[in-house]
Amino acid sequence: MQAEASFIIRNARVLTMDEANPRAAALAVSGNRILAVGSEAEIDVYSGPDTHVIDAKGATVLPGFNEAHMHIFGGSAELRELSLMGVKGFDALDKALKAYAADYPQRDLLIAQHADYTILSDDERVTRHHLDRILPDRAVLIFAPDHHTAWANTLALKMGGILEGRDVGIGNEIVMGEDGLANGELRESNAIRPVSALGETGAREMLGVGTGGDPDHVTAEERAADIEIIKEGLAYVASLGITSLQNMDGSLYQLEMLDEIEKTTRLPVRVRMPFHMKNFMPLADLEAKAAAWRERFNTDRLRSDFVKLFMDGVTESGTAVFVDDYSHQPGWKGEPLFSQTHFDEIAIAADRLGLPVAVHAIGDGAVRMVLNGYEAAIKANGRRDSRNRIEHIEVVHPDDVPRFKELGTIASMQPTHPPGSAGLPLEPYLSYIGEERWPHAFAWRTLTDAGAPIVFATDWPVSPLDPMHCIQCAMTRTVWKEGMKDQRLSLYETLAAYTRTSAWVEFMEDRKGMLKPGYLADIVVLSADVEAADFTDLAAIRPVTTMCDGRITYQA
Ligand SMILES: [Zn+2]
């Protein structure tokens, strides 16, 4: 007598991501595990009176997407804010902000997202004066897509107490105008927070990525409202076919809220979170916090088992760190957030505790410093299976490309981030890095060919979260100049970077990331066959059913 399946998915083009058995027509699920993967006839035998049968209608079935770099709380909060994506020029900005202000007359601070650095024009940056002309009597804060820069109007700067400027620490800046007052541009989180904290959520959603800390004070009511925001976000995540997310916010506040959701209504998606180490934190925090959280949050549904750091900022605001000068600003290479010695100490100590490390490094100078730290850890402690990663790697120095394989370092990259992709402008990015660095920018193919394991993600809310949109961006990326190397991966490699490799990064390759008997039943059924589609049509393919842990978490 065969075991009876709780679900059978049939009439499918199953891409298992399992090299030993790459394709199948059907699969069976029992409880939270995959029972069998095979032909229609092989799977039919598991059918019983209580089996739910899902007809995939010839469409692709994949392991659920694993979004390897995103920010769940911030992304969830932004679902309620204005998006300026695609808005271009003063008049369009004026119209969008005025309509938003009219819709939310009670909000103390109007927050909008996805304002390109060139939202006004290619050569004029937003200042408080532009925003004052639109809304002089309502406080306004608009964020660049990367969230590393924001622009506030005069009222918002006044309310935040920073109109006269303030020292906000290395790598952060309240940009001053010629009149001796802040001009409205705020660079990095210490500069932005005095204003963003005036919003509905008190900017609590930004703490995990900003300070790595928890709110000083939060009422039971505020916390309940935050949980509701995160729940909405998690439902949205599941609706996109995602079954695992790696939240890059390190914050105990968020971990405890997610734990409460898991214990009350269950998480619809598996969550992994880091401890966020800032440059002012003592080394002892790695043991006292990061390692302690690993003990406390250690299930397949919610875990905290790695360390996140920022080595630099972003290119557009001049805070990314390069080996050579910025092309548009001779003499400036950017300033790292950690010294090499300090980062080496952290990398060595984390490695000693068996904690993987993930570091935001955008410029090739920052990437090099992180690789140096990983190398120092191997020298100090010996080689282990560390699965350390570098986030973004927008530019890599050619000398450092082979070091990824040598050091076992994972490249965590975002197909929605190259200028020209996902509606992002080419400028000012391309002229800031300069043409000589273009071949080494967003170099997925180069890194993959050199043996670097690669994972893809969106860094939501920096880019739209939809994996199919991101996969389309990956497959349709064009070169910036004729004759440049095509950096795209194959469709199969791209799908693996969203499923199998991201599970491996989490040390969960023995139970996740492939459709294989005994593996966790994390599955997405799509609306069409991804292999038959034109790359330009991939984003039109939608998740029909998302299953996480054997439970349906989304049904179209
Ligand atoms: Zn991020």
Side-chain angles (χ1 to χ4, degrees):
M1 167 90 189
Q2 294 286 0
E4 185 185 321
S6 44
F7 288 94
I8 282 178
I9 301 172
R10 56 170 300 276
N11 190 20
R13 300 182 71 86
V14 183
L15 293 178
T16 64
M17 294 293 134
D18 174 9
E19 305 278 6
N21 177 37
R23 285 167 192 278
L27 63 85
V29 169
S30 172
N32 73 337
R33 298 276 170 171
I34 292 168
L35 196 54
V37 181
S39 65
E40 300 272 0
E42 283 164 338
I43 298 306
D44 249 359
V45 301
Y46 298 100
S47 181
D50 296 323
T51 303
H52 298 275
V53 178
I54 296 171
D55 181 350
K57 302 191 175 112
T60 301
V61 171
L62 286 167
F65 295 117
N66 184 328
E67 162 75 31
H69 181 134
M70 62 106 90
H71 304 271
I72 186 64
F73 194 8
S76 304
E78 286 185 23
L79 292 174
R80 298 178 174 193
E81 294 166 355
L82 174 67
S83 169
L84 292 169
M85 194 175 285
V87 172
K88 201 83 193 165
F90 181 85
D91 293 344
L93 179 63
D94 179 86
K95 199 172 146 203
L97 285 176
K98 278 183 178 143
Y100 181 45
D103 286 348
Y104 294 97
Q106 79 291 0
R107 288 196 183 172
D108 294 334
L109 174 69
L110 293 162
I111 300 177
Q113 302 289 341
H114 281 280
D116 279 340
Y117 284 86
T118 51
I119 191 164
L120 294 177
S121 73
D122 280 358
D123 38 41
E124 193 182 12
R125 279 279 178 108
V126 175
T127 67
R128 66 187 165 94
H129 305 293
H130 295 108
L131 299 173
D132 288 349
R133 265 160 62 199
I134 299 170
L135 290 171
D137 308 320
R138 300 283 302 275
V140 185
L141 180 68
I142 70 175
F143 278 87
D146 59 32
H147 295 72
H148 288 259
T149 303
W151 297 270
N153 68 353
T154 304
L155 180 58
L157 293 166
K158 261 188 205 155
M159 283 164 60
I162 55 170
L163 183 60
E164 270 86 42
R166 185 193 293 173
D167 179 12
V168 279
I170 291 179
N172 299 264
E173 187 182 0
I174 294 168
V175 179
M176 302 305 286
E178 282 168 8
D179 57 1
L181 297 175
N183 83 352
E185 178 159 326
L186 306 171
R187 295 179 180 167
E188 303 296 331
S189 58
N190 290 355
I192 300 168
R193 201 173 317 104
V195 176
S196 61
L198 307 166
E200 295 241 292
T201 59
R204 290 186 294 280
E205 77 279 14
M206 305 291 287
L207 285 172
V209 68
T211 65
D214 297 322
D216 295 334
H217 176 76
V218 62
T219 65
E221 203 177 18
E222 286 167 340
R223 188 172 184 277
D226 289 349
I227 286 179
E228 278 318 301
I229 288 172
I230 293 175
K231 277 188 180 175
E232 274 175 33
L234 290 167
Y236 176 68
V237 170
S239 79
L240 299 173
I242 297 167
T243 55
S244 288
L245 66 85
Q246 301 184 45
N247 185 19
M248 287 291 143
D249 287 5
S251 139
L252 188 60
Y253 180 60
Q254 278 189 51
L255 265 167
E256 287 180 337
M257 288 194 292
L258 288 159
D259 194 36
E260 189 174 319
I261 295 171
E262 169 64 7
K263 286 176 175 145
T264 51
T265 55
R266 295 188 76 188
L267 291 164
V269 54
R270 302 178 194 282
V271 180
R272 182 187 193 216
M273 272 182 71
F275 167 73
H276 183 177
M277 184 94 182
K278 301 294 287 188
N279 53 15
F280 52 81
M281 292 176 178
L283 210 53
D285 275 2
L286 287 174
E287 193 155 6
K289 293 182 177 169
W293 295 3
R294 178 175 58 187
E295 297 302 307
R296 190 173 157 199
F297 306 97
N298 62 1
T299 71
D300 282 353
R301 300 177 57 81
L302 178 62
R303 54 176 50 214
S304 175
D305 62 352
F306 70 111
V307 179
K308 165 87 195 287
L309 300 89
F310 280 82
M311 183 55 85
D312 65 353
V314 294
T315 305
E316 289 87 341
S317 68
T319 51
V321 174
F322 288 93
V323 172
D324 299 308
D325 293 352
Y326 279 80
S327 281
H328 71 300
Q329 199 181 343
W332 179 247
K333 297 177 165 65
E335 196 174 7
L337 295 166
F338 288 84
S339 69
Q340 186 70 62
T341 322
H342 189 185
F343 178 68
D344 289 356
E345 267 173 26
I346 294 166
I348 293 166
D351 183 74
R352 204 169 278 146
L353 290 163
L355 290 162
V357 179
V359 184
H360 167 117
I362 295 253
D364 55 5
V367 171
R368 176 170 288 175
M369 289 178 72
V370 178
L371 290 167
N372 291 345
Y374 293 162
E375 191 175 316
I378 293 174
K379 279 195 186 127
N381 303 331
R383 193 177 281 273
R384 65 173 193 95
D385 185 7
S386 56
R387 305 193 194 179
N388 291 328
R389 43 196 277 187
I390 303 183
E391 308 305 308
H392 312 309
I393 320 170
E394 291 191 356
V395 179
V396 62
H397 193 284
D399 295 351
D400 291 323
V401 169
R403 299 177 74 198
F404 280 80
K405 183 176 183 206
E406 281 160 30
L407 303 170
T409 300
I410 296 147
S412 168
M413 302 178 80
Q414 291 71 38
T416 41
H417 288 189
S421 301
L424 291 178
L426 294 171
E427 292 299 342
Y429 195 93
L430 289 184
S431 27
Y432 281 16
I433 67 168
E435 200 173 323
E436 63 286 3
R437 277 179 284 219
W438 291 0
H440 317 297
F442 302 92
W444 314 322
R445 181 83 262 163
T446 302
L447 284 160
T448 303
D449 289 347
I454 188 161
V455 290
F456 279 157
T458 65
D459 200 10
W460 186 60
V462 173
S463 304
L465 180 61
D466 182 3
M468 290 309 298
H469 169 260
C470 185
I471 289 165
Q472 174 169 325
C473 291
M475 300 313 302
T476 56
R477 178 176 165 196
T478 52
V479 294
W480 297 309
K481 196 182 171 188
E482 214 173 316
M484 267 180 66
K485 179 173 171 169
D486 183 351
Q487 288 289 350
R488 289 180 296 176
L489 304 186
S490 71
L491 179 62
Y492 186 82
E493 288 170 318
T494 301
L495 294 171
Y498 241 116
T499 54
R500 187 179 64 211
T501 313
S502 16
W504 175 82
V505 164
E506 296 187 73
F507 290 89
M508 291 176 80
E509 71 275 18
D510 62 339
R511 57 197 185 281
K512 211 168 82 170
M514 289 184 260
L515 299 176
K516 195 172 168 176
Y519 272 51
L520 293 164
D522 293 358
I523 303 165
V524 58
V525 181
L526 296 172
S527 63
D529 177 359
V530 292
E531 292 174 293
D534 281 342
F535 293 153
T536 50
D537 294 335
L538 284 168
I541 299 179
R542 305 311 312 152
V544 175
T545 305
T546 311
M547 181 183 288
C548 180
D549 218 21
R551 234 170 28 119
I552 292 187
T553 50
Y554 170 75
Q555 181 68 55

